Coordinates of all heavy atoms in Angstrom, one line a residue:
M15 N 5.1 -9.1 19.3 CA 4.7 -10.1 18.3 C 4.1 -9.4 17.1 O 3.3 -8.5 17.2 CB 3.7 -11.0 18.9 CG 3.1 -12.0 17.9 SD 1.9 -13.1 18.7 CE 1.1 -13.8 17.2
T16 N 4.6 -9.8 15.9 CA 4.1 -9.2 14.7 C 3.3 -10.2 13.9 O 3.7 -11.3 13.6 CB 5.3 -8.7 13.9 OG1 6.1 -7.8 14.6 CG2 4.8 -8.0 12.6
I17 N 2.1 -9.7 13.5 CA 1.3 -10.5 12.6 C 1.6 -10.1 11.2 O 1.6 -9.0 10.8 CB -0.2 -10.3 12.9 CG1 -0.6 -10.7 14.4 CG2 -1.1 -11.0 11.9 CD1 -2.0 -10.4 14.8
T18 N 1.8 -11.2 10.4 CA 2.1 -10.9 9.0 C 1.0 -11.5 8.1 O 0.6 -12.7 8.3 CB 3.5 -11.5 8.6 OG1 4.5 -10.9 9.4 CG2 3.8 -11.2 7.1
V19 N 0.5 -10.7 7.2 CA -0.5 -11.2 6.3 C 0.0 -11.2 4.8 O 1.1 -10.6 4.6 CB -1.8 -10.4 6.3 CG1 -2.4 -10.5 7.7 CG2 -1.6 -9.0 6.0
Q20 N -0.7 -11.7 3.9 CA -0.2 -11.7 2.5 C -1.0 -10.6 1.8 O -2.2 -10.5 1.9 CB -0.5 -13.0 1.8 CG 0.7 -13.9 1.8 CD 0.5 -15.1 0.8 OE1 -0.6 -15.2 0.3 NE2 1.5 -15.8 0.5
C21 N -0.3 -9.8 1.0 CA -0.9 -8.8 0.2 C -1.8 -9.5 -0.8 O -1.4 -10.4 -1.6 CB 0.2 -8.0 -0.6 SG -0.5 -6.8 -1.8
P22 N -3.1 -9.1 -0.9 CA -4.0 -9.8 -1.8 C -3.7 -9.5 -3.3 O -4.1 -10.3 -4.1 CB -5.4 -9.1 -1.5 CG -5.2 -8.5 -0.1 CD -3.7 -8.1 0.0
T23 N -2.9 -8.5 -3.5 CA -2.6 -8.2 -4.9 C -1.3 -8.9 -5.4 O -1.3 -9.5 -6.5 CB -2.4 -6.7 -5.1 OG1 -3.7 -6.0 -4.7 CG2 -2.1 -6.3 -6.6
C24 N -0.3 -8.8 -4.6 CA 1.0 -9.4 -5.1 C 1.6 -10.5 -4.2 O 2.6 -11.0 -4.5 CB 2.0 -8.3 -5.3 SG 2.6 -7.6 -3.7
S25 N 0.8 -10.8 -3.1 CA 1.2 -11.9 -2.3 C 2.4 -11.6 -1.5 O 3.0 -12.6 -0.9 CB 1.3 -13.2 -3.0 OG 0.1 -13.6 -3.6
A26 N 2.9 -10.4 -1.4 CA 4.0 -10.1 -0.6 C 3.6 -10.1 0.9 O 2.5 -9.8 1.2 CB 4.6 -8.7 -1.0
P27 N 4.6 -10.5 1.8 CA 4.3 -10.4 3.2 C 4.1 -9.0 3.7 O 4.9 -8.1 3.3 CB 5.5 -11.1 3.8 CG 6.6 -11.0 2.8 CD 5.9 -10.9 1.5
V28 N 3.0 -8.8 4.5 CA 2.7 -7.5 5.0 C 2.6 -7.5 6.5 O 1.8 -8.3 7.0 CB 1.4 -6.9 4.4 CG1 1.1 -5.5 4.9 CG2 1.5 -6.9 2.8
E29 N 3.3 -6.7 7.2 CA 3.2 -6.6 8.6 C 1.9 -5.9 9.0 O 1.7 -4.8 8.6 CB 4.4 -5.9 9.2 CG 5.7 -6.7 9.2 CD 6.8 -6.0 10.0 OE1 6.5 -5.2 10.9 OE2 7.9 -6.3 9.7
W30 N 1.1 -6.5 9.8 CA -0.2 -6.0 10.2 C 0.0 -5.1 11.4 O 0.0 -5.5 12.5 CB -1.2 -7.1 10.5 CG -2.6 -6.6 10.7 CD1 -3.1 -6.0 11.8 CD2 -3.6 -6.6 9.7 NE1 -4.4 -5.7 11.6 CE2 -4.8 -6.0 10.3 CE3 -3.7 -7.0 8.3 CZ2 -6.0 -5.8 9.6 CZ3 -4.9 -6.8 7.7 CH2 -6.0 -6.2 8.3
K31 N 0.2 -3.8 11.1 CA 0.4 -2.8 12.2 C -0.3 -1.5 11.9 O -0.6 -1.2 10.7 CB 1.9 -2.6 12.5 CG 2.6 -2.2 11.2 CD 4.1 -2.2 11.5 CE 4.9 -1.8 10.2 NZ 6.3 -1.8 10.5
A32 N -0.6 -0.7 12.9 CA -1.4 0.5 12.7 C -0.7 1.4 11.8 O -1.4 2.2 11.1 CB -1.6 1.2 14.1
E33 N 0.6 1.4 11.7 CA 1.3 2.4 10.9 C 1.1 2.1 9.4 O 1.3 2.9 8.5 CB 2.8 2.4 11.2 CG 3.2 2.7 12.6 CD 3.3 1.5 13.5 OE1 2.2 1.0 13.9 OE2 4.4 1.1 13.7
N34 N 0.8 0.8 9.1 CA 0.6 0.4 7.7 C -0.8 0.7 7.3 O -1.7 -0.1 7.4 CB 0.9 -1.1 7.6 CG 0.8 -1.5 6.1 OD1 0.5 -0.7 5.3 ND2 1.1 -2.8 5.9
T35 N -1.0 1.9 6.7 CA -2.3 2.4 6.4 C -2.9 1.7 5.2 O -4.0 1.8 4.9 CB -2.3 3.9 6.1 OG1 -1.3 4.1 5.1 CG2 -1.9 4.7 7.3
Y36 N -2.0 0.9 4.5 CA -2.5 0.2 3.3 C -2.8 -1.3 3.6 O -3.2 -2.0 2.6 CB -1.4 0.3 2.2 CG -1.0 1.7 1.9 CD1 0.3 2.1 2.0 CD2 -2.0 2.6 1.5 CE1 0.7 3.4 1.7 CE2 -1.6 3.9 1.3 CZ -0.2 4.3 1.4 OH 0.1 5.6 1.1
R37 N -2.7 -1.7 4.8 CA -3.0 -3.1 5.1 C -4.4 -3.5 4.7 O -5.3 -2.6 4.8 CB -2.8 -3.4 6.6 CG -3.8 -2.6 7.5 CD -3.4 -2.8 9.0 NE -4.4 -2.3 9.9 CZ -4.5 -1.1 10.2 NH1 -3.7 -0.2 9.8 NH2 -5.5 -0.7 11.0
P38 N -4.7 -4.7 4.2 CA -3.8 -5.8 4.1 C -2.9 -5.7 2.9 O -2.2 -6.7 2.6 CB -4.7 -7.0 4.0 CG -5.9 -6.5 3.3 CD -6.0 -5.0 3.7
F39 N -2.8 -4.6 2.2 CA -2.0 -4.5 1.1 C -0.6 -4.0 1.5 O -0.4 -3.4 2.5 CB -2.6 -3.5 0.1 CG -4.0 -3.8 -0.3 CD1 -5.0 -3.3 0.3 CD2 -4.2 -4.7 -1.4 CE1 -6.3 -3.6 0.0 CE2 -5.5 -5.1 -1.7 CZ -6.6 -4.5 -1.1
C40 N 0.4 -4.3 0.6 CA 1.8 -3.9 1.0 C 2.1 -2.5 0.7 O 3.0 -1.9 1.2 CB 2.8 -4.9 0.2 SG 2.8 -4.6 -1.5
C41 N 1.3 -1.9 -0.2 CA 1.6 -0.5 -0.6 C 0.3 0.1 -1.2 O -0.6 -0.6 -1.5 CB 2.8 -0.5 -1.6 SG 2.4 -1.4 -3.1
E42 N 0.4 1.4 -1.4 CA -0.7 2.1 -2.0 C -1.1 1.6 -3.4 O -2.2 1.4 -3.7 CB -0.4 3.6 -2.1 CG -1.6 4.4 -2.6 CD -1.3 5.9 -2.6 OE1 -0.1 6.3 -2.6 OE2 -2.2 6.7 -2.6
R43 N 0.0 1.3 -4.1 CA -0.2 0.8 -5.5 C -1.1 -0.5 -5.5 O -2.1 -0.6 -6.3 CB 1.1 0.5 -6.1 CG 1.0 0.0 -7.5 CD 2.4 -0.2 -8.1 NE 2.4 -1.1 -9.3 CZ 2.1 -0.7 -10.5 NH1 1.8 0.6 -10.7 NH2 2.1 -1.5 -11.5
C44 N -0.7 -1.4 -4.7 CA -1.5 -2.7 -4.6 C -2.9 -2.4 -4.2 O -3.9 -3.1 -4.7 CB -0.8 -3.7 -3.7 SG 0.6 -4.5 -4.5
K45 N -3.1 -1.5 -3.3 CA -4.5 -1.2 -2.8 C -5.3 -0.6 -4.0 O -6.4 -1.0 -4.2 CB -4.4 -0.2 -1.7 CG -5.8 0.1 -1.1 CD -5.6 1.1 0.1 CE -7.0 1.4 0.7 NZ -6.8 2.3 1.9
L46 N -4.7 0.3 -4.7 CA -5.4 0.9 -5.8 C -5.7 -0.1 -6.9 O -6.8 -0.1 -7.5 CB -4.6 2.1 -6.4 CG -4.4 3.3 -5.5 CD1 -3.5 4.3 -6.1 CD2 -5.7 3.9 -5.1
I47 N -4.8 -1.0 -7.1 CA -5.0 -2.0 -8.1 C -6.2 -2.9 -7.8 O -7.1 -3.2 -8.6 CB -3.7 -2.9 -8.3 CG1 -2.6 -2.1 -9.0 CG2 -4.0 -4.2 -9.1 CD1 -1.3 -2.8 -9.1
D48 N -6.2 -3.3 -6.5 CA -7.3 -4.1 -6.1 C -8.7 -3.4 -6.1 O -9.7 -3.9 -6.6 CB -7.1 -4.6 -4.6 CG -8.1 -5.7 -4.2 OD1 -7.8 -6.8 -4.6 OD2 -9.0 -5.4 -3.5
L49 N -8.7 -2.2 -5.7 CA -9.9 -1.4 -5.8 C -10.3 -1.1 -7.2 O -11.5 -1.2 -7.6 CB -9.7 0.0 -5.1 CG -9.6 -0.1 -3.5 CD1 -9.3 1.3 -3.0 CD2 -10.8 -0.6 -2.9
G50 N -9.3 -0.9 -8.1 CA -9.6 -0.7 -9.5 C -10.2 -1.9 -10.1 O -11.2 -1.9 -10.9
A51 N -9.7 -3.1 -9.8 CA -10.2 -4.4 -10.3 C -11.7 -4.6 -9.9 O -12.5 -5.0 -10.6 CB -9.4 -5.5 -9.9
W52 N -11.9 -4.2 -8.6 CA -13.2 -4.4 -8.1 C -14.2 -3.4 -8.8 O -15.3 -3.8 -9.2 CB -13.2 -4.0 -6.6 CG -14.6 -4.0 -5.9 CD1 -15.3 -5.1 -5.5 CD2 -15.4 -2.9 -5.7 NE1 -16.5 -4.7 -5.0 CE2 -16.6 -3.4 -5.1 CE3 -15.3 -1.5 -6.0 CZ2 -17.7 -2.5 -4.8 CZ3 -16.4 -0.7 -5.7 CH2 -17.5 -1.2 -5.1
A53 N -13.8 -2.2 -9.0 CA -14.7 -1.2 -9.7 C -14.9 -1.7 -11.1 O -16.0 -1.5 -11.6 CB -14.0 0.1 -9.7
A54 N -13.9 -2.2 -11.8 CA -14.0 -2.6 -13.2 C -15.0 -3.8 -13.3 O -15.8 -3.9 -14.2 CB -12.7 -3.1 -13.7
E55 N -15.0 -4.7 -12.3 CA -16.0 -5.8 -12.3 C -17.4 -5.3 -12.1 O -18.3 -5.8 -12.7 CB -15.6 -6.8 -11.2 CG -14.4 -7.6 -11.6 CD -14.0 -8.6 -10.5 OE1 -14.9 -8.8 -9.6 OE2 -13.0 -9.2 -10.6
E56 N -17.5 -4.3 -11.2 CA -18.9 -3.9 -10.8 C -19.5 -3.1 -11.9 O -20.7 -3.1 -12.2 CB -18.8 -3.0 -9.5 CG -18.5 -3.9 -8.3 CD -19.6 -4.9 -8.0 OE1 -20.8 -4.5 -8.1 OE2 -19.3 -6.0 -7.7
H57 N -18.7 -2.2 -12.6 CA -19.3 -1.3 -13.6 C -20.4 -0.5 -13.0 O -21.3 -0.1 -13.7 CB -19.8 -2.1 -14.8 CG -18.7 -2.7 -15.6 ND1 -17.8 -1.9 -16.4 CD2 -18.3 -4.0 -15.8 CE1 -16.9 -2.7 -17.0 NE2 -17.2 -4.0 -16.7
A58 N -20.3 -0.2 -11.8 CA -21.4 0.5 -11.1 C -21.0 1.9 -10.6 O -21.9 2.6 -10.1 CB -21.9 -0.3 -9.9
I59 N -19.8 2.3 -10.8 CA -19.4 3.6 -10.3 C -19.0 4.5 -11.5 O -17.9 4.4 -12.0 CB -18.2 3.5 -9.4 CG1 -18.6 2.5 -8.2 CG2 -17.8 4.8 -8.8 CD1 -17.4 2.2 -7.3
P60 N -19.9 5.4 -12.0 CA -19.5 6.2 -13.1 C -18.5 7.3 -12.7 O -18.6 7.8 -11.6 CB -20.9 6.9 -13.4 CG -21.7 6.8 -12.2 CD -21.2 5.6 -11.4
G61 N -17.7 7.7 -13.6 CA -16.7 8.7 -13.4 C -15.8 8.4 -12.2 O -15.6 9.3 -11.3
N62 N -15.2 7.3 -12.2 CA -14.4 6.8 -11.1 C -13.1 7.6 -11.1 O -12.2 7.4 -12.0 CB -14.1 5.3 -11.2 CG -13.5 4.8 -9.9 OD1 -12.7 5.5 -9.3 ND2 -13.8 3.6 -9.5
D63 N -12.9 8.5 -10.1 CA -11.7 9.3 -10.1 C -10.4 8.5 -9.9 O -9.4 8.7 -10.4 CB -11.8 10.3 -8.9 CG -12.8 11.4 -9.2 OD1 -13.1 11.6 -10.4 OD2 -13.3 12.0 -8.3
L64 N -10.6 7.4 -9.1 CA -9.5 6.5 -8.8 C -8.9 5.9 -10.1 O -7.7 5.9 -10.4 CB -10.0 5.4 -7.9 CG -8.9 4.5 -7.4 CD1 -8.0 5.3 -6.5 CD2 -9.5 3.3 -6.6
E65 N -9.8 5.5 -11.0 CA -9.3 4.9 -12.3 C -8.7 5.9 -13.1 O -7.7 5.7 -13.8 CB -10.5 4.3 -13.0 CG -10.8 2.8 -12.7 CD -11.7 2.2 -13.7 OE1 -11.9 2.7 -14.8 OE2 -12.2 1.1 -13.3
D66 N -9.2 7.1 -13.1 CA -8.6 8.2 -13.9 C -7.2 8.4 -13.5 O -6.3 8.6 -14.3 CB -9.4 9.5 -13.7 CG -10.8 9.4 -14.5 OD1 -10.9 8.6 -15.3 OD2 -11.6 10.3 -14.2
E67 N -7.0 8.4 -12.2 CA -5.6 8.6 -11.7 C -4.7 7.4 -12.0 O -3.6 7.6 -12.5 CB -5.6 8.7 -10.2 CG -6.1 10.1 -9.7 CD -6.0 10.3 -8.2 OE1 -5.3 9.5 -7.6 OE2 -6.5 11.3 -7.7
M68 N -5.2 6.2 -11.9 CA -4.4 5.0 -12.2 C -4.0 5.0 -13.6 O -2.9 4.6 -13.9 CB -5.3 3.8 -11.9 CG -5.3 3.4 -10.4 SD -6.3 1.9 -10.2 CE -5.2 0.8 -11.0
F69 N -4.9 5.4 -14.5 CA -4.6 5.2 -16.0 C -4.3 6.6 -16.6 O -4.5 6.7 -17.8 CB -5.7 4.5 -16.7 CG -6.0 3.1 -16.1 CD1 -7.1 2.9 -15.3 CD2 -5.1 2.1 -16.2 CE1 -7.4 1.7 -14.8 CE2 -5.3 0.9 -15.7 CZ -6.5 0.6 -15.0
S70 N -3.9 7.5 -15.8 CA -3.7 8.9 -16.3 C -2.6 8.9 -17.4 O -2.5 9.8 -18.2 CB -3.3 9.8 -15.2 OG -2.1 9.4 -14.6
G71 N -1.7 7.8 -17.4 CA -0.7 7.8 -18.4 C -1.1 7.2 -19.7 O -0.4 7.2 -20.7
D72 N -2.3 6.7 -19.8 CA -2.8 6.0 -21.0 C -3.2 7.1 -22.0 O -3.4 8.3 -21.7 CB -4.1 5.2 -20.7 CG -3.6 3.9 -20.0 OD1 -2.4 3.6 -19.9 OD2 -4.5 3.1 -19.7
L73 N -3.4 6.6 -23.2 CA -3.9 7.5 -24.3 C -5.3 7.9 -24.0 O -6.0 7.2 -23.4 CB -3.8 6.8 -25.7 CG -2.3 6.5 -26.1 CD1 -2.4 5.6 -27.3 CD2 -1.6 7.8 -26.4
P74 N -5.7 9.1 -24.5 CA -7.2 9.4 -24.4 C -8.1 8.4 -25.0 O -7.7 7.7 -25.9 CB -7.2 10.8 -25.1 CG -5.9 11.3 -25.2 CD -5.0 10.0 -25.3
T75 N -9.3 8.3 -24.4 CA -10.2 7.3 -24.9 C -10.6 7.7 -26.4 O -10.9 8.8 -26.7 CB -11.5 7.4 -24.1 OG1 -11.2 7.1 -22.7 CG2 -12.5 6.3 -24.5
R76 N -10.6 6.7 -27.2 CA -10.9 6.9 -28.6 C -11.7 5.7 -29.1 O -11.5 4.6 -28.6 CB -9.7 7.1 -29.4 CG -8.7 6.0 -29.3 CD -7.4 6.3 -30.1 NE -6.4 5.2 -29.9 CZ -5.2 5.2 -30.4 NH1 -4.8 6.3 -31.1 NH2 -4.4 4.2 -30.3
P77 N -12.5 5.9 -30.1 CA -13.3 4.7 -30.7 C -12.4 3.7 -31.3 O -11.4 4.0 -32.0 CB -14.2 5.4 -31.7 CG -13.6 6.7 -32.0 CD -12.8 7.1 -30.8
H78 N -12.7 2.4 -31.2 CA -11.9 1.4 -31.8 C -12.5 1.0 -33.1 O -13.7 0.9 -33.3 CB -12.0 0.1 -30.9 CG -11.1 0.4 -29.7 ND1 -9.8 0.3 -29.6 CD2 -11.5 0.6 -28.4 CE1 -9.4 0.6 -28.4 NE2 -10.4 0.8 -27.6
Ligands
ZN25 ZN1 1.4 -5.9 -2.8

């Protein structure tokens, strides 16, 4: 019997099994997105390496 849950990020069906290290997310990307959103809301974690990796493709920070 397989338990299926919904990915909190993209609502895709996710099989809840030990091999799925990203559960309840469907993939690493969705997990990082969710964690990033959480960190952004909290504003409590300085120098977040996770965000740096997620947005590594963005332009360097510059004043607006
Ligand atoms: Zn997903």
Side-chain angles (χ1 to χ4, degrees):
M15 177 180 162
T16 303
I17 297 175
T18 303
V19 297
Q20 263 195 351
C21 172
T23 301
C24 72
S25 297
V28 181
E29 285 187 25
W30 190 278
K31 52 186 178 182
E33 301 93 278
N34 184 358
T35 55
Y36 306 123
R37 67 186 187 278
F39 305 93
C40 67
C41 60
E42 183 179 21
R43 177 180 165 82
C44 281
K45 183 177 181 179
L46 292 179
I47 288 173
D48 191 77
L49 290 175
W52 175 83
E55 285 180 10
E56 290 296 316
H57 288 293
I59 304 174
N62 192 323
D63 291 337
L64 189 64
E65 270 194 17
D66 287 344
E67 283 186 15
M68 281 181 67
F69 302 110
S70 59
D72 284 357
L73 293 171
T75 304
R76 57 184 178 183
H78 290 284

